Amino acid sequence: MVATSSSDGEAGTQWAALAGVTAALAMFGAAQGLSYPLFTLLMQRQGMSPALIGLSAAMMPVGLILSASFVPAAVRLVGARNLAVGCSLAGALCFLGIGYLQDWVAWFIIRFLVGVVINPLYVLGEVWALSLAPPSRRGRVMGVFNTLLGAGYAAGPLILITVGTSGWPPFVAAISGFALCALILRAVSSKLTGFEDDGQIQGGIVGFARLAPALLLAVLVAAAVQQSTYALIPVFGTGYGLPEARLAALVTALSAGNILLQIPLGLMAERFGGRAMIVFCALATAACALLLPLVITTPLVWPVLVVMGAVGYGVYTMALVELGSRFKGTALVAGNAAFALMWGAGGIVGPPGAGSLMQVIGPLGLPAVIAGLDALLIAFALYRSAKRKNS
């Protein structure tokens, strides 16, 4: 993996590479964050229905899911560095094609391809961050990594406000983000190996699933909870008569917690361990969800949502910390690819499931689904921990 010499020079190189990888993924995140509202606005301008707009948005996660199982093989075939740089450039070309064609039918195909090419960036960015982080500081490193990635996503819409949605400027901004990602990764990843086939794990994602099913369930729950909350918290607030302006602020509070509190959670992971922190974050998320109906019309809703946004995504951050402490080499690549697959699956099953229950029992369906998913995760994590101790 990464050279582990104790010399100050190599330590400095390691931190520089870590900073570079984090900066590259932040650029990539900004380009992605810009793309979602841009597509929605452009398709609305073309007279597309909400159903078609939603279906178009689904093409990207479909690409993510379908490509996940191929990432470990692609790393072995061309090397991690070449794959990451190539995918960054391919992402830039996809947005060049989107801007040139201005055809919503073609966008369906290209957005699927975007999902395919960005998946290795997600996987390898996290693999490199986990590998470069000193074990004693892995929690805070992943907290910083996810904070800056989240800040990149948040910057995307701000960039769109600055450059506007007409003509080439928004597409040039997205293309530039992917191109900068490629340049930075090319510059900082030369010291990293390609995660060659070291024989640590057989069967790729399937083989990894046998080793760490609790980690995969944690990612599935984190994705389902986060995406359900972001998509349906405005619907939940509407059920309690909140005005439209306040509904948008509910989502902002979730995002603020996600960005501001990942580093403190990472520091806690260094002290208590990733496995214990997964259970803690799941418990805290369930508690916040159950409090929502009680505080939604009071000022207490804001701190509850900030904490909920942090610990809900914190389940994923803690799963990453645990992944990095237990695996390396090809097993780490397979694990991150499996994480990407489970994240996509959680996004597909979470919002529809929560929305359906809300349709049956009203606003309480959202906190019921969130608390139920987290309770399932806690029970399974404790079961796996007890089984491991007894074996």
Side-chain angles (χ1 to χ4, degrees):
M1 295 293 294
V2 183
T4 56
S5 169
S6 60
S7 70
D8 291 341
E10 291 200 9
T13 300
Q14 179 172 311
W15 284 111
L18 180 59
V21 168
T22 304
L25 269 291
M27 296 293 175
F28 155 70
Q32 284 295 99
L34 175 151
S35 70
Y36 285 102
L38 175 62
F39 278 117
T40 298
L41 293 170
L42 291 178
M43 294 184 76
Q44 283 180 333
R45 199 175 294 165
Q46 293 182 15
M48 298 298 103
S49 68
L52 277 176
I53 293 173
L55 187 60
S56 175
M59 291 299 100
M60 196 178 296
V62 169
L64 284 169
I65 291 171
L66 294 181
S67 65
S69 60
F70 298 105
V71 173
V75 169
R76 291 194 299 269
L77 184 65
V78 302
R81 185 191 191 196
N82 291 334
L83 180 62
V85 172
C87 285
S88 300
L89 295 176
L93 289 175
C94 284
F95 276 88
L96 179 64
I98 290 167
Y100 177 75
L101 292 172
Q102 290 292 314
D103 181 345
W104 67 269
V105 176
W107 289 355
F108 271 71
I109 300 171
I110 299 178
R111 293 185 85 175
F112 170 79
L113 294 176
V114 169
V116 171
V117 300
I118 67 174
N119 199 31
L121 292 174
Y122 279 119
V123 172
L124 292 174
E126 290 177 347
V127 166
W128 277 328
L130 288 168
S131 303
L132 288 162
S136 63
R137 298 183 180 180
R138 186 174 285 122
R140 74 191 74 181
V141 165
M142 295 314 298
V144 171
F145 180 84
N146 282 325
T147 295
L148 293 179
L149 185 58
Y153 274 100
L158 298 179
I159 294 171
L160 191 60
I161 292 171
T162 302
V163 303
T165 60
S166 300
W168 274 99
F171 294 100
V172 170
I175 292 167
S176 299
F178 278 100
L180 283 171
C181 181
L183 288 173
I184 296 172
L185 288 177
R186 181 70 183 173
V188 304
S189 60
S190 60
K191 300 297 183 182
L192 302 177
T193 68
F195 302 104
E196 64 278 357
D197 191 357
D198 52 18
Q200 290 190 62
I201 189 170
Q202 300 296 324
I205 289 177
V206 175
F208 179 84
R210 298 191 190 102
L211 295 175
L215 288 184
L216 296 188
L217 180 61
V219 175
L220 178 72
V221 168
V225 166
Q226 188 195 43
Q227 296 182 57
S228 297
T229 308
Y230 274 73
L232 296 171
I233 194 70
V235 181
F236 178 83
T238 300
Y240 287 87
L242 298 185
E244 186 172 328
R246 195 172 182 186
L247 299 179
L250 298 178
V251 179
T252 303
L254 287 167
S255 299
N258 188 11
I259 293 172
L260 295 175
L261 298 179
Q262 293 306 305
I263 296 174
L265 288 174
L267 291 170
M268 291 175 67
E270 291 175 11
R271 180 169 182 178
F272 301 107
R275 199 176 302 164
M277 285 300 296
I278 289 173
V279 174
F280 169 78
C281 286
L283 274 170
T285 305
C288 288
L290 294 175
L291 282 173
L292 275 180
L294 304 176
V295 302
I296 188 64
T297 58
T298 74
L300 288 175
V301 69
W302 306 115
V304 168
L305 285 175
V306 168
V307 173
M308 187 174 174
V311 292
Y313 189 74
V315 171
Y316 180 74
T317 302
M318 299 304 106
L320 279 176
V321 172
E322 183 67 9
L323 177 71
S325 68
R326 290 176 55 187
F327 301 99
K328 62 181 181 178
T330 53
L332 187 58
V333 175
N336 273 93
F339 274 25
L341 179 64
M342 298 305 287
W343 185 269
I348 288 175
V349 302
S356 298
L357 188 58
M358 291 176 76
Q359 190 168 335
V360 175
I361 68 172
L364 290 177
L366 179 61
V369 166
I370 293 171
L373 286 171
D374 282 304
L376 175 64
L377 171 59
I378 292 166
F380 188 69
L382 293 176
Y383 163 76
R384 288 287 299 180
S385 180
K387 185 177 180 181
R388 191 177 294 110
K389 288 179 181 178
N390 293 331
S391 62

